[in-house]
Amino acid sequence: MGAASVFTSRPRLVASPVAARHSLRVRLPLLISVLLLAAVATFLGAAYREVEVSGGFRVTRAGVASQASFRKKP
């Protein structure tokens, strides 16, 4: 075996679960997934809060309008 075989040999893959957990191949997709999940949860929370606020106002306004339409005029 000459010096050329040292440079052409494949690196050994590490089968350790600790090393696999710290791998960028594992961490990057997890990080992106967590960030996307946080963004979607924030958007849905804000949309839900907005619907609750505006929906309550509209229901109240519709109730007052329907009561006014059923009142008998003298």
Side-chain angles (χ1 to χ4, degrees):
M1 288 196 193
S5 65
V6 172
F7 295 112
T8 58
S9 65
R10 290 182 160 176
R12 291 178 41 190
L13 296 176
V14 179
S16 169
V18 174
R21 185 171 20 128
H22 294 293
S23 171
L24 187 61
R25 185 173 285 179
V26 173
R27 286 186 298 158
L28 188 60
L30 285 176
L31 177 65
I32 292 171
S33 298
V34 167
L35 289 174
L36 281 173
L37 184 64
V40 168
T42 302
F43 174 76
L44 288 176
Y48 178 77
R49 190 175 322 133
E50 193 65 30
V51 166
E52 284 293 316
V53 170
S54 66
F57 176 71
R58 288 182 180 161
V59 168
T60 303
R61 193 174 63 190
V64 170
S66 66
Q67 285 178 356
S69 68
F70 286 120
R71 288 187 184 160
K72 294 182 180 180
K73 295 182 181 178

